[in-house]
């Protein structure tokens, strides 16, 4: 049994992972800044995630941007699971310094400390992201696999949201493997790519096993319903409960790979604890592409109410069109297969949501902030 540190360990993924590790007999410590955007203005009273993790782990309130906080949290630790990060592609495009400082700067401080001071860490798992792929992998009509550039403002303004090759041909989406070309389309994606690269490059030079997990779109009970940057399921569910219609960006056919929280936790547990994971880079997803309109339909069925939608044609700069992960490496090396299909995951999510307070309209505020900076068209 190991002593495990989870940075960002009081968050959506970290709190459940702490419980999983503790149940398996590991000693768990978490380091978390308990940001108001995630935990509310008074985390001790407003954060159920903090209450959950406090029952199974030693909680250090601090930040990865502080060497002193990191040093204290690393005492006697054997495994580090590095989840701490600012998240949200849209917000990252106008809070650039904050994202770079937390995601890149915090990781650099962590690796610098491990490189230059005594420690007992033998394995590090970093939470990377599907955002590092940008548009990911596609196939041409001739069967060639390509990694297309980001869609242009001009094309999307004309209502053309398709991903096209240099010759204007519309490309066919295929699952993106871990060997794909990396070309993130947002500041968040850039920071996650650098974060992963720092750990996967430096850790082996200091005798630490490194594992990178490229999470797809994680959802499920426990995710923030007030943070407008945590994903469309929480945003849409709040709008439905408020009796509001849902404005759909682009044409509603944009897709993502949604993976249920319990599946993500189990994959991360294996990455942290089994020998076969050492040195590996793994996509953690469902392997299924789900469109935004599919999400609305699934939520409508789970809530048991019709949902009024409007296809607006609006779009956000930095958004990708599609995303689906190739999960064969996860299966073959870690022996892991996601178990919760999307419809069942949404049912469990809604079952939890209906007992939670209805959030405020922070989503509209986030859209106004993006529009003011001409990132939302």
């Amino acid at each position: 049994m190991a002593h495990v540190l989870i940075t960002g360990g009081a968050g959506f993924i970290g709190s459940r992972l702490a419980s999983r590790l503790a149940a398996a007999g590991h000693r768990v410590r978490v380091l978390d800044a308990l940001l108001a955007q995630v935990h509310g203005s008074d985390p001790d009273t407003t954060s159920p995630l903090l209450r959950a993790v406090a029952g199974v782990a030693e909680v250090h309130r601090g930040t990865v941007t502080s060497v002193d906080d990191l040093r204290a949290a690393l005492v006697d630790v054997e495994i580090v699971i590095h989840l701490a990060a600012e998240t949200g592609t849209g917000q990252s495009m106008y809070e650039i310094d904050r994202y770079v400082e937390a995601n890149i700067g915090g990781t650099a401080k962590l690796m610098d400390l491990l490189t230059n001071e005594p420690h007992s860490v033998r394995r590090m798992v970093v939470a990377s992201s599907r955002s590092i792929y940008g548009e990911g992998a596609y196939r041409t009509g001739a069967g060639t696999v390509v990694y297309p550039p980001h869609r242009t403002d001009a094309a999307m303004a004309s209502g053309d949201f398709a991903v096209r090759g240099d010759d204007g041909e519309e490309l066919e989406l295929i699952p993106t493997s871990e060997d794909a070309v990396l070309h993130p389309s947002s500041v968040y994606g850039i920071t996650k790519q650098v974060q992963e690269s720092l750990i996967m490059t430096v850790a082996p030079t200091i005798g630490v096993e490194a594992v990178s997990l490229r999470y797809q779109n994680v959802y499920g009970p426990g995710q923030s319903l007030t943070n407008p940057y945590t994903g469309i399921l929480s945003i849409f569910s709040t709008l439905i409960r408020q009796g509001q219609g849902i404005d759909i960006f682009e044409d509603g056919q944009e897709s993502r790979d949604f993976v249920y929280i319990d599946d993500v936790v189990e994959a991360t547990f294996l990455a942290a604890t089994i020998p076969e994971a050492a040195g590996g880079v793994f996509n953690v997803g469902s392997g299924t592409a789900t469109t935004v309109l599919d999400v609305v339909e699934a939520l409508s069925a789970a809530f048991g109410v019709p949902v009024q939608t409007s296809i607006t044609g609006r779009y956000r700069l930095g958004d990708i069109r599609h995303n689906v992960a190739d999960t064969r490496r996860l299966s073959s090396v870690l022996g892991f297969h996601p178990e919760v299909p999307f419809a069942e995951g949404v049912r469990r999510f809604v079952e939890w949501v209906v007992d939670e307070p209805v959030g405020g309209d922070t989503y509209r505020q986030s859209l106004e902030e993006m529009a003011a900076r001409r990132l939302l068209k």
Side-chain angles (χ1 to χ4, degrees):
M1 298 299 104
H3 190 184
V4 184
L5 169 66
I6 310 174
T7 70
F12 174 40
I13 298 172
S15 58
R16 289 207 174 201
L17 180 60
S19 295
R20 176 69 178 91
L21 287 160
H26 298 283
R27 181 183 170 194
V28 184
R29 176 183 295 151
V30 304
L31 174 66
D32 202 296
L34 301 176
L35 298 177
Q37 184 168 299
V38 177
H39 296 278
S41 57
D42 182 10
D44 292 325
T45 60
T46 60
S47 176
L49 295 176
L50 176 59
R51 291 194 295 272
V53 79
V56 297
E58 173 191 344
V59 178
H60 285 214
R61 184 166 186 171
T63 173
V64 292
T65 59
S66 164
V67 173
D68 289 340
D69 291 345
L70 284 169
R71 186 181 289 115
L74 284 165
V75 172
D76 297 328
V77 164
E78 299 161 87
I79 299 172
V80 175
I81 303 174
H82 187 38
L83 305 182
E86 296 285 357
T87 61
T89 56
Q91 188 180 42
S92 76
M93 298 296 284
Y94 60 90
E95 296 202 18
I96 299 165
D97 183 65
R98 182 161 73 94
Y99 273 71
V100 170
E101 173 63 16
N103 298 359
I104 297 176
T107 303
K109 286 180 171 60
L110 173 61
M111 299 314 297
D112 189 88
L113 193 154
L114 292 176
T115 299
N116 292 294
E117 297 187 12
H119 63 84
S120 53
V121 175
R122 54 180 173 81
R123 177 171 292 192
M124 294 192 66
V125 179
V126 58
S128 188
S129 167
R130 57 92 185 159
S131 64
I132 70 175
Y133 295 124
E135 286 292 349
Y138 285 76
R139 183 184 290 122
T140 68
T144 303
V145 175
V146 295
Y147 304 96
H150 315 314
R151 296 174 296 165
T152 66
D153 189 359
M156 291 191 286
S158 72
D160 181 9
F161 302 113
V163 176
R164 300 187 181 277
D166 293 336
D167 61 357
E169 173 194 20
E170 184 170 352
L171 302 172
E172 175 193 0
L173 174 70
I174 61 173
T176 300
S177 76
E178 293 86 351
D179 297 324
V181 172
L182 305 183
H183 59 149
S185 60
S186 67
V187 172
Y188 172 69
I190 292 168
T191 67
K192 296 305 285 185
Q193 181 183 356
V194 175
Q195 190 178 54
E196 174 185 307
S197 296
L198 282 169
I199 289 177
M200 298 304 291
T201 300
V202 175
T205 71
I206 58 174
V208 174
E209 298 171 343
V211 186
S212 176
L213 300 179
R214 294 175 180 170
Y215 292 149
Q216 309 301 301
N217 290 67
V218 187
Y219 75 99
Q223 70 184 94
S224 175
L225 299 176
T226 58
N227 183 353
Y229 304 100
T230 55
I232 63 173
L233 272 93
S234 60
I235 292 167
F236 286 180
S237 65
T238 297
L239 293 173
I240 291 170
R241 296 179 72 199
Q242 292 172 339
Q244 298 189 47
I246 296 177
D247 292 340
I248 305 294
F249 288 172
E250 301 189 17
D251 58 4
Q253 296 302 319
E254 60 272 32
S255 66
R256 298 292 184 266
D257 185 329
F258 293 96
V259 57
Y260 190 68
I261 179 63
D262 290 353
D263 286 330
V264 171
V265 166
E266 191 60 26
T268 308
F269 175 82
L270 293 173
T273 58
I274 69 172
E276 293 80 2
V281 176
F282 304 94
N283 286 330
V284 180
S286 68
T288 301
T290 302
T291 70
V292 172
L293 289 176
D294 290 337
V295 171
V296 175
E297 183 179 347
L299 285 170
S300 178
F303 277 108
V305 297
V307 178
Q308 181 179 353
T309 60
S310 173
I311 307 296
T312 67
R314 301 187 78 186
Y315 57 93
R316 296 188 304 184
L317 297 180
D319 270 1
I320 61 170
R321 175 63 170 173
H322 295 299
N323 173 65
V324 63
D326 183 335
T327 60
R328 289 176 295 179
R329 185 182 294 179
L330 184 72
S331 172
S332 63
V333 178
L334 301 191
F336 177 76
H337 305 272
E339 295 184 352
V340 182
F342 185 64
E344 171 61 18
V346 171
R347 186 195 65 77
R348 296 182 191 181
F349 171 71
V350 169
E351 188 177 66
W352 166 76
V353 162
V354 295
D355 291 327
E356 296 296 308
V358 179
D361 201 8
T362 55
Y363 175 57
R364 303 291 180 189
Q365 179 182 343
S366 71
L367 297 184
E368 291 171 1
E369 290 176 355
M370 293 196 70
R373 295 165 175 83
R374 299 188 60 78
L375 294 168
L376 173 64
K377 303 297 185 78

